[in-house]
């Protein structure tokens, strides 16, 4: 339930400063603006109930609807304009003093934590969705949203109305421990896309885990794992015995722009149907992922966003303003282990390739060069320095040597070992590609043909 500010009661001790003299009983004095500060709680609730009832009726009838609600009986009542912005007795508004933001001295200390965004918190609030009608929050006191026909095109409201029915919460119960995250519906009969680290425990033979997918309308079903890929942190599962689901609309990540508006939807901290907004803050961020109780150990080519993403958002969609999924939310960086300051999503174009193969084969192979590397930055070169080369592997066949520093793979510049992993994964198995290395202070261009990594 929304809480309204509590104002002091009317002292009823004679005229207030700035007002004319009191009016004798039985006479009507000059009309004064109604001041909500001096209403009793009972008066405020009564006025508010009438006001909201009127707005609801006129809105449903669609007769007087516009930005100012013509015919509003309380239209002239001065309302608070913001925190501390109450009308003075003479009807004027005091000047607004912007609230200063704290710079947060804590930003200067502590290590930045990188977290996979599956969560271990149960319970939550379900978003009830009726695609032909409207959306709302179940039993939390939040007001229902406006009818679909009146939602502005290209707005966050429109994105939420269209996409929320295609987003689910996934839970894996392992007894004393559990994992939960989000997912997106791919087909009417129950195929769901999510992160590998969300459902990895469900695939382990000895896990004995119970699985559950919760849909936007509150219904639920068990799910089985179709295929997982620790190398990209992508997985596909299938909800059992379901039909008539609403698949998500898949967009493209090829033309994303920094500053572009985006919406994130998922189940952070167990709260299903949570919608947050932000922008794309950066592109092509190499983000290493590992641990969190799963077999995920990779580097994603992250789409960075400032839309609020927390534990439980993993596997949920990052959406453009055309209601298309452009990425799968996967990780966050923060100065603590709780809320994330920055979020990262896997670009949807990479996801498409993996998902198609997982649905068909249950697993996928990635390109490999048969070497290991470490980050280096010195006066001679900045990139990924080769630590060792596997005998007979693609790197050795291409003439790559230990201590060579890789600075470019294909069309992608390599700044460190993490970016090297991303660049190699973007190659195609069996197709030759150029690779630039710095060797003893000079640049050498070689040609390498990636092999298939069968370790995953």
């Amino acid at each position: 339930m929304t809480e309204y500010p509590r104002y002091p009661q009317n002292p009823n001790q004679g005229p207030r400063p700035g007002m004319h003299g009191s009016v004798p009983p039985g006479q009507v004095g000059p009309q004064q603006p109604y001041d909500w500060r001096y209403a009793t709680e009972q008066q405020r609730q009564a006025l508010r109930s009438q006001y909201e009832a009127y707005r609801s009726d006129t809105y449903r009838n669609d007769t007087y609807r516009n930005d100012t609600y013509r015919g509003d009986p309380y239209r002239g009542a001065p309302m608070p304009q913001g925190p501390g912005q109450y009308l003075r007795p003479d009807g004027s508004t005091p000047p607004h003093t912007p609230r200063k933001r704290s710079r947060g001295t804590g930003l200067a200390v502590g290590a930045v934590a990188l977290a996979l965004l599956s969560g271990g918190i149960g319970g939550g609030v379900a978003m009830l969705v009726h695609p032909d009608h409207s959306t709302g929050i179940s039993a939390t006191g939040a007001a229902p949203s406006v009818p679909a026909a009146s939602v502005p095109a290209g707005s966050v409201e429109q994105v939420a109305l269209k996409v929320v029915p295609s987003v689910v919460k996934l839970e894996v119960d392992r007894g004393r421990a559990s994992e939960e995250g989000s997912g997106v519906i791919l087909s009417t009969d129950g195929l769901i896309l999510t992160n590998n680290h969300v459902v990895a425990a469900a695939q382990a033979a000895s896990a004995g885990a119970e699985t559950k997918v919760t849909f936007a309308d509150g219904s639920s079903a068990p799910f089985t794992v179709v295929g997982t890929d620790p190398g990209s942190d992508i997985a596909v599962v299938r909800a059992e015995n379901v039909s008539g689901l609403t698949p998500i609309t898949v967009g493209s990540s090829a033309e994303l722009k920094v500053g572009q508006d985006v919406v994130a939807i998922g189940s952070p901290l167990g709260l299903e149907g949570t919608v947050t907004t932000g922008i794309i803050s950066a592109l092509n961020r190499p983000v290493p992922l590992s641990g969190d109780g799963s077999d995920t150990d990779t580097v994603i080519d992250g789409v960075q966003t400032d839309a609020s993403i927390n534990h439980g958002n993993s596997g949920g969609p990052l959406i453009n303003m055309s209601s298309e999924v452009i990425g799968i939310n996967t990780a966050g960086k923060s100065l603590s282990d709780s809320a994330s300051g920055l979020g990262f999503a896997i670009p949807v174009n990479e996801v498409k390739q993996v998902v198609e193969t997982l649905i068909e084969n249950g697993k996928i192979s990635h390109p490999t060069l048969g070497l290991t590397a470490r980050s280096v930055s010195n006066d001679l070169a900045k990139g990924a320095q080769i630590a060792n080369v596997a005998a007979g592997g693609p790197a050795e066949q291409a003439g790559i040597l230990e201590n060579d520093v890789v600075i470019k793979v294909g069309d992608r510049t390599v700044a460190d070992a993490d970016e090297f992993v991303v660049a190699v994964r973007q190659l195609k198995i069996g197709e030759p590609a150029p690779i630039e290395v710095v060797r003893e202070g000079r640049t050498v261009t070689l040609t390498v043909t990636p092999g298939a990594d069968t370790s995953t």
Side-chain angles (χ1 to χ4, degrees), residues 13-228:
Q13 295 179 355
R16 295 190 294 276
M19 301 288 284
H20 298 292
S22 59
V23 180
Q27 297 186 22
V28 179
Q31 181 68 34
Q32 295 293 339
Y34 185 81
D35 194 335
W36 283 51
R37 290 177 297 173
Y38 297 99
T40 65
E41 181 64 24
Q42 185 176 4
Q43 289 172 324
R44 288 201 307 274
Q45 293 295 345
L47 286 168
R48 189 175 297 116
S49 298
Q50 298 174 36
Y51 179 73
E52 292 299 328
Y54 182 87
R55 288 182 60 179
S56 178
D57 290 341
T58 57
Y59 193 89
R60 283 195 299 268
N61 293 335
D62 204 26
T63 303
Y64 300 100
R65 189 176 75 238
N66 60 21
D67 292 339
T68 56
Y69 287 93
R70 289 193 298 268
D72 190 336
Y74 294 100
R75 184 177 173 185
M79 298 286 289
Q81 306 300 307
Q85 294 296 294
Y86 310 113
L87 295 186
R88 292 169 171 164
D90 61 2
S92 64
T93 304
H96 175 66
T97 303
R99 182 184 301 176
K100 294 183 179 180
R101 290 180 177 267
S102 171
R103 292 184 178 273
T105 55
L107 294 178
V109 296
V112 176
L114 173 65
L116 297 174
L117 296 176
S118 60
I121 298 177
V125 180
M127 175 76 78
L128 303 182
V129 178
H130 307 282
D132 296 331
H133 304 287
S134 61
T135 62
I137 304 295
S138 64
T140 63
S145 65
V146 296
S150 63
V151 174
S155 66
V156 175
E157 295 97 323
Q158 185 186 59
V159 173
L161 189 68
K162 183 174 181 180
V163 177
V164 167
S166 302
V167 182
V168 302
K169 182 170 80 169
L170 298 170
E171 299 173 84
V172 180
D173 188 352
R174 296 177 292 172
R176 292 187 177 182
S178 63
E179 293 291 337
E180 67 179 38
S182 305
V184 295
I185 297 173
L186 297 177
S187 68
T188 59
D189 60 352
L191 282 177
I192 295 170
L193 163 65
T194 187
N195 284 134
N196 172 72
H197 71 264
V198 172
V199 298
Q203 195 175 37
S206 60
E210 294 184 3
T211 63
K212 179 181 177 181
V213 53
T214 302
F215 299 99
D217 63 359
S219 63
S220 63
F223 69 82
T224 56
V225 177
V226 174
T228 61

Side-chain angles (χ1 to χ4, degrees), residues 232-283:
S232 63
D233 198 27
I234 293 298
V236 177
V237 302
R238 181 183 289 279
E240 298 180 359
N241 303 317
V242 298
S243 61
L245 302 180
T246 305
I248 203 161
T249 301
V250 179
S252 172
S253 54
E255 302 296 330
L256 299 182
K257 305 294 183 184
V258 173
Q260 176 179 335
D261 290 331
V262 289
V263 176
I265 303 178
S267 303
L269 309 180
L271 304 176
E272 302 115 281
T274 296
V275 178
T276 58
T277 66
I279 62 169
I280 292 177
S281 305
L283 297 169

